[in-house]
Amino acid sequence: MSATVQTPTTRPQIPVTVLTGYLGAGKTTLLNRLLTEEHGKRYAVIVNEFGEIGIDNELVVDADEEVFEMNNGCICCTVRGDLIRIIGNLLKRKGTFDAILIETTGLADPAPVAQTFFVDEEVRAVAKLDSIVTVVDAKNVVARLNDSHEAAEQIAFADVILLNKADLVPAAELVALETRLRTINPTAIIHRTERCMISPTEILDRRAFDLDRILAIEPDFLGEDAHEHDDAVTSVALRETQPIDVNRFNQWIGTLLREKGLSILRSKGILDLKGSPNRFIFQGVHMLMEGDDGKPWGQDEARDSKLVFIGRDLDAVELKAGFAACVA
Amino acid sequence: MSLAETGVLTPPGIETVVDAGITGAVFSQSGLLAVSLGDGGVQLIDPAGGVQTVPAHDGAVLCLVLDIDGRSFLTGGDDGRLVRTTEDAGTSEIMRTPGRQIDVVAVSRLGKARAVAVGREVRLIDGSGNVRASSSDHPSTVSALAFNPKGKRLAAAHYGGVTLWWSATLGQTPSRLTWRGSHIGVSWSPDGTHVMTAMQERELHGWRVADGSDLAMRGYAAKARSVDWLAKPPTLVTSGADCVVAWPFSGSGPQGKPPIEVGQGIGQLVTQVAIHPVRPLVAAGFDDGRVAICELTADRESRAIRVRAADGSKVSALAWSQDGARLAAGTDSGALSIFDLTKASSQ
Ligand SMILES: [Zn+2]
Ligand SMILES: [Zn+2]
């Protein structure tokens, strides 16, 4: 037998949105809103507390969060076994879905959910991680950030942050709060909400739009503290204006994620690869990553490459030097 | 030898398209074919081609097996229900668990028992529909169930291995067969000596029940979701590669030996396998809709015939009638072929 086979072309991948956030932040409110409002879309929803959803919807499935380590023996390489099974079953239904929504429990690490969509071939063939939405309670997110690892990780993984209960916090405090969230995660879109009031289009099927935000981020000015080693979740943004050599980049990012993947929570990038007419888009969670050709560069468009790392104990100087060495 | 060289057979039969993906197929003792669908329906098709459609579930039917009596059918659905459908198209609900997907059901005709998984709980249900015993003593969701050939033992697959129960005392004193990783399918060898699992990590694992010693078979391109056993000589036949991969269990077992490979040359993933009930033949369904029938032989070159052409949909169900005269193949886009092989002529 051979370890590779041709796969016939398949239907388009269904976008998957992951909802994280502490208990009481407003996840259930948001889910109920998405399920009840008239939008003409068909969503499948995978929840962890079936009883909390007050709606009798046949597309709501109850899940037990079953995080499995993969056989490589690494503690950060984990997947959600229950999701693999449930999504496989959902796809047997007649008709397709506009989106799949996955709610995680309050303290859950979003990594295993995201990694499931990178690792499992059957899931990957039918569904694609679109975005991670983190709902935070504007009133007590600071306290949570100070007393737990999980809160910072949920911020770090977010593509969209709903700063909920914003009406209960003075405007000046909200600005300070957003600044704090930005130091953890500069790429996420932050929406201030009351009772999770937001249009579904702001959180579902976002990918194409959100990637442009990576390009908009200014690269870090690397000052004195660039060698700082501490436990806080921070980010490093890098930019190169010369085309990147694909082999050098693969070698570098592969080694980097293998060695530092425990502390690098998320990585994202848009690259100008030498010899390719298209943007190369990639994202990673810990040691696992996926990459794809994006839309072509315009005729007169200025090309550059941007990378963002979010994690603990990031060595900005080393990262910058490593990326610079990938220039073709 | 490739399939193309060996030949193509066009047996007469029935070709239909139903308007939902096909999730399972099984023949009853009397030759009635049941086909389960992604829209919750079960179609009952008699040998003359007469069709009755039974609305058994809301949402997809996730699993379909022949019931204890050999005449009626059991289905689990993503409406959380376990439903019995009789040959005359009557249905009755045996279990209801809202919010759960019922995708794991096993039946032993010898042991007169049915087993169903609800999350990490396993329930034994008797012929009258009563829950005779249940246990949640499993480390994760139960992903597969299989009775041993005599129907006295039940194997439940989950993360980290398999839990073995005695049917008579389910819930008490389990024995555990452990192996790190997620086990997604389970079966017993026809002589009851081995328990084999398919794994998330695209390999097979197994244990000799007598002493718990491990077996492992690797090299698959995909998860081996569909497996079947040839009784004599005992051979485990699997999907998950670009050909049918068969592991002989006679003599010293399959460990350290190359597998028998049949049905090569198509270059597509085998998604379904089904052993002929009488002869050493295996039907193989492919990722592109092709179906082939292959001789399962180790000592000379295997012959194979293709009975269904590619149509771009994946073969998602494959079943032989109990006399081996008919073969049913269904795809995930709702194409159904029923071949009458007694009347086949080669082209
Ligand atoms: Zn890892
Ligand atoms: Zn340093």
Side-chain angles (χ1 to χ4, degrees), chain B residues 56-57 65-69 72-77 79-86 90-97 102 105-107 113-116 118 123-132:
Chain B
H57 295 269
V65 292
L66 193 59
D67 201 2
I68 300 169
D69 59 6
S72 45
F73 307 97
L74 283 185
T75 50
D79 56 357
R81 296 163 69 232
L82 179 66
V83 172
R84 178 168 189 256
T85 300
T86 53
T91 63
S92 54
E93 180 180 289
I94 294 177
M95 185 187 80
R96 173 189 286 264
T97 51
I102 303 304
V105 178
V107 166
R114 307 147 163 167
V116 57
V118 183
R123 300 180 189 177
L124 271 187
I125 297 175
D126 65 20
S128 7
N130 300 313
V131 177
R132 219 184 64 213

Side-chain angles (χ1 to χ4, degrees), chain A residues 1-3 5-6 8 50 62 64 66 68-71 73 84-86 89 92-94 120-122, chain B residues 19 38 59 78 99-101 103 140-141 159 180 200-202 218-219 221 223 225 242 245 261 267 287:
Chain A
M1 59 183 144
S2 121
V5 289
Q6 300 160 241
F50 190 62
D62 196 9
D64 299 312
E66 297 187 334
F68 296 152
E69 276 179 30
M70 288 161 51
N71 262 357
I84 296 173
R85 199 173 50 84
I86 288 169
N89 284 339
K92 289 180 178 169
R93 270 184 177 255
K94 189 188 171 184
D120 188 87
E121 270 122 50
E122 290 170 8
Chain B
D19 62 338
D78 71 358
R100 290 286 173 178
Q101 296 177 329
D103 56 355
S140 72
T141 292
Y159 185 76
R180 182 197 179 96
Q200 165 73 21
E201 277 92 357
R202 298 181 298 186
R218 304 196 170 85
K223 296 173 214 171
R225 285 209 180 268
D242 60 353
V245 179
E261 301 187 359
D287 214 11

